[in-house]
Amino acid sequence: MTVISAMQFNEKEGAIIADSRATIDDVFESGLGDKLHPFHTGHPAFCVVGFSGAAEFITNVIAHATASLKEEETTITGTSLATRINDSLIHTKRTYLDNYLKATFGISEVEFQTGYKMLPNGSREPINPTLLNTYHDIITTTNGSAQINRITNSSALVLASDPKSIHLFKVSTAFGIPFPVTRPYQSLGNGQHIAEEVLYTFFEHTPRESLASIDPVHGLAALLAANHRASVRSTGVGGIPRIAIVSATSSLVLPSEAACMLAQEIVIGTKQGFLSPQFQGISLYQLFYAGASVDGVEREMYKVATPHGDALNRFLRGWKDSKN
């Protein structure tokens, strides 16, 4: 259960945000999910990937992608980075499926695809048509094995930066190529629809000529608001958000957990009228771009809160009549 959202602010800047709620064995939940992973290449190009899917599966995808990106390549672009991530998703899915078939039937996927099982003496025999039908059911999305589909159905957002520009792609185990995102934002996960409603509202009030030049602080506030709303309304979504920012100098900024938590509280407080939009803009800039102390920004937040800091404190703790 996940919500990942990303936004391209302009040709060089963007950000991606993820919740931290992790579901374990469909029974337990924790706030330890780490769904954003940066990939550095040794070249000027790099990317941050927000993954949605089973944690054990994603761990193997990350390992394969990391090894793949160590291979020599003359020119690495945002598109080639997204392609490598997509290839790793597909490779890991096929590996899981092949191992599942071997463990369950003693037959590899290649053997199922050819219709013949290789015998120890080097000969081969036709696979029973019933087993072939079972294999077909497993690899289809509608009739497939719930166990293998639960593990291998995965998707991700890739925010990639190269010397020319920043790029946003959606990749998935369902397709063999990355899909460029053709609008300034994208969400995925079971919280996608809630998050995108918030993001659409933000862009709905943005003039068309400004769509390719979003104020990064305003964009970050929208991403935080979308993440919070999805956390409130979507099953299995929540926890302290994690944020990765590509700055104007094409450097990667990974704010601390405390900074992410305080930033979300500031956005929530502003939405409810405890804080001014001006304070929201200044404080987010200080937290994410100016290296300001979290403690200092928090003290100022309670100092300027309306009607007073105690009211904001109570609201953030869940009181419903906190303004009284």
Side-chain angles (χ1 to χ4, degrees), residues 23-318:
T23 304
I24 304 168
D25 297 329
D26 294 326
V27 177
F28 303 105
E29 290 188 342
S30 80
L32 303 177
D34 190 2
K35 302 172 186 180
L36 296 186
H37 190 86
F39 290 93
H40 298 279
T41 64
H43 297 255
F46 64 88
C47 67
V48 183
V49 184
F51 288 100
S52 173
E56 58 269 34
F57 179 80
I58 297 304
T59 298
N60 285 298
V61 172
I62 291 171
H64 184 271
T66 300
S68 172
L69 289 169
K70 289 181 180 178
E71 299 174 3
E72 289 297 326
E73 187 172 324
T74 305
T75 303
I76 296 182
T77 65
T79 301
S80 66
L81 278 171
T83 299
R84 292 286 187 95
I85 301 301
N86 202 99
D87 289 348
S88 293
L89 279 167
I90 300 300
H91 170 85
T92 307
K93 175 184 178 180
R94 304 314 306 189
T95 300
Y96 268 62
L97 178 58
D98 186 53
N99 289 332
Y100 172 80
L101 294 171
K102 289 176 181 176
T104 306
F105 305 106
I107 303 173
S108 70
E109 185 175 19
V110 170
E111 290 172 317
F112 270 114
Q113 290 172 341
T114 60
Y116 290 91
K117 176 177 171 58
M118 296 301 298
L119 300 177
N121 62 8
S123 62
R124 62 180 192 169
E125 65 178 14
I127 298 174
N128 186 294
T130 301
L131 286 180
L132 289 175
N133 288 334
T134 300
Y135 166 69
H136 179 267
D137 286 344
I138 288 172
I139 64 173
T140 58
T141 57
T142 53
N143 301 317
S145 164
Q147 181 180 4
I148 195 67
N149 282 341
R150 181 188 68 81
I151 296 174
T152 62
N153 285 349
S154 181
S155 57
L157 292 180
V158 181
L159 185 65
S161 174
D162 62 34
K164 290 185 177 180
S165 63
I166 196 171
H167 313 265
L168 182 57
F169 297 91
K170 183 176 180 180
V171 297
S172 168
T173 52
F175 298 98
I177 59 172
F179 286 89
V181 175
T182 58
R183 55 184 177 174
Y185 68 93
Q186 180 69 46
S187 297
L188 58 77
N190 66 302
Q192 173 180 353
H193 300 300
I194 301 296
E196 289 202 346
E197 184 66 26
V198 176
L199 293 174
Y200 177 77
T201 299
F202 171 75
F203 280 98
E204 187 179 26
H205 298 288
T206 301
R208 182 175 299 175
E209 57 271 19
S210 300
L211 292 178
S213 183
I214 300 298
D215 183 312
V217 170
H218 292 166
L220 284 163
L223 287 171
L224 284 159
N227 182 85
H228 175 256
R229 194 59 190 161
S231 297
V232 171
R233 296 291 296 157
S234 303
T235 302
V237 177
I240 299 173
R242 188 179 182 197
I243 303 169
I245 303 167
V246 179
S247 72
T249 58
S250 297
S251 59
L252 182 61
V253 180
L254 298 172
S256 69
E257 180 179 82
C260 293
M261 180 66 182
L262 179 58
Q264 180 145 288
E265 290 179 343
I266 290 169
V267 169
I268 297 169
T270 303
K271 174 76 172 176
Q272 296 298 322
F274 292 97
L275 300 169
S276 69
Q278 291 77 15
F279 175 79
Q280 174 182 268
I282 292 170
S283 60
L284 292 185
Y285 177 82
Q286 290 174 334
L287 287 171
F288 294 146
Y289 293 99
S293 158
V294 171
D295 290 342
V297 174
E298 183 183 35
R299 283 194 297 269
E300 185 66 16
M301 176 182 76
Y302 285 118
K303 180 179 177 181
V304 303
T306 302
H308 45 74
D310 286 345
L312 173 59
N313 188 3
R314 289 171 182 166
F315 168 73
L316 294 174
R317 288 159 50 201

